[in-house]
Amino acid sequence: GESVGLHLPTLSVQEGDNSIINCAYSNSASDYFIWYKQESGKGPQFIIDIRSNMDKRQGQRVTVLLNKTVKHLSLQIAATQPGDSAVYFCAENIMNRDDKIIFGKGTRLHILP
Amino acid sequence: ETGVTQTPRHLVMGMTNKKSLKCEQHLGHNAMYWYKQSAKKPLELMFVYNFKEQTENNSVPSRFSPECPNSSHLFLHLHTLQPEDSALYLCASSQERRSNEKLFFGSGTQLSVL
């Protein structure tokens, strides 16, 4: 069945280091992927998205990589800061279809001082 | 700050109570959503409204009843809930109901059913 999963429920990273959060998806037809960040006491917030015709997309301090061969998605955060502490969700969808977005379970990112 | 406001932030209710959750968006969006977030589970889509019309009901029990009087407001009416309904209920909006639309979430209502 369809599923979007993250490899690790928790990730601890030293402040200033780069963080890499991974996600695997199973639906080969998925062609649109999104990363959301959820801070404590808040709802999920859009970070970055990528379409399947791209392998990489960069934002401010974040980069998303897509490997369609192995159905793998990753979010890289450069120079991790305390404000990056949150739960990160990947989500997949199929563009131009009226399907619901499928969310993964999330990875909690802890920033170590 | 996201343009989507949910009230109340916290709610404790008994199984025989009737309560309502409210969501308001100030983004001029036309689609609104209710999601349920339980511990250690992915976000579960409950209901979708597009231009005030309900377009999706993902097999949600009838003890949850949504209402969308206009494109800016969304309610979730609750009655005779069960303890397993305790969760964070998130409202979201998007420009329209399309698969590649970014969702803007409220901060949620943390619901506890006793």
Side-chain angles (χ1 to χ4, degrees), chain B residues 60-80:
Chain B
V60 181
S62 59
R63 57 186 184 268
F64 295 91
S65 175
E67 179 189 1
C68 188
N70 55 61
S71 293
S72 299
H73 294 85
L74 185 66
F75 295 89
L76 188 62
H77 304 300
L78 316 171
H79 64 98
T80 59

Side-chain angles (χ1 to χ4, degrees), chain A residues 4 32 34 36 38 41-46 49 51 89 93-101 103-105, chain B residues 1 9 35 37 40-43 45 55-56 58 88 90 97-108:
Chain A
V4 179
Y32 178 63
I34 318 108
Y36 284 89
Q38 186 173 19
K42 296 184 179 180
Q45 181 181 10
F46 172 88
D49 58 0
R51 299 183 182 184
F89 298 91
N93 207 338
I94 302 172
M95 290 184 66
N96 303 317
R97 274 175 53 174
D98 196 19
D99 286 357
K100 61 182 179 182
I101 295 172
F103 286 88
K105 291 183 181 180
Chain B
E1 49 191 53
R9 291 296 306 273
Y35 279 88
Q37 187 174 37
K40 300 181 181 179
K41 292 176 68 175
L43 282 167
L45 179 63
T55 58
E56 288 181 51
N58 285 291
L88 180 68
L90 290 161
R97 173 68 179 109
R98 281 198 300 255
S99 57
N100 60 333
E101 286 284 344
K102 298 181 184 68
L103 296 175
F104 291 77
F105 286 88
S107 295

Side-chain angles (χ1 to χ4, degrees), chain B residues 22-26 28-34 49-54 66-75 91-93:
Chain B
K22 179 183 176 182
C23 177
E24 183 175 0
Q25 57 97 358
H26 306 277
H29 289 167
N30 295 302
M32 296 188 77
Y33 311 74
W34 280 116
Y49 279 82
N50 198 32
F51 292 93
K52 299 188 297 178
E53 296 296 322
Q54 186 180 128
E67 179 189 1
C68 188
N70 55 61
S71 293
S72 299
H73 294 85
L74 185 66
F75 295 89
C91 172
S93 71

Side-chain angles (χ1 to χ4, degrees), chain A residues 16-73:
Chain A
D17 286 352
N18 296 335
S19 302
I20 300 176
I21 301 171
N22 295 305
C23 181
Y25 64 95
S26 60
N27 187 352
S28 300
S30 293
D31 55 8
Y32 178 63
F33 305 89
I34 318 108
W35 281 99
Y36 284 89
K37 171 187 180 183
Q38 186 173 19
E39 297 176 80
S40 180
K42 296 184 179 180
Q45 181 181 10
F46 172 88
I47 303 175
I48 192 168
D49 58 0
I50 188 168
R51 299 183 182 184
S52 60
N53 61 352
M54 302 173 69
D55 296 322
K56 178 180 179 179
R57 191 168 186 214
Q58 288 185 289
Q60 188 175 14
R61 277 202 311 119
V62 295
T63 301
V64 56
L65 299 177
L66 177 62
N67 185 332
K68 294 179 287 294
T69 303
V70 294
K71 297 200 284 287
H72 183 269
L73 189 69

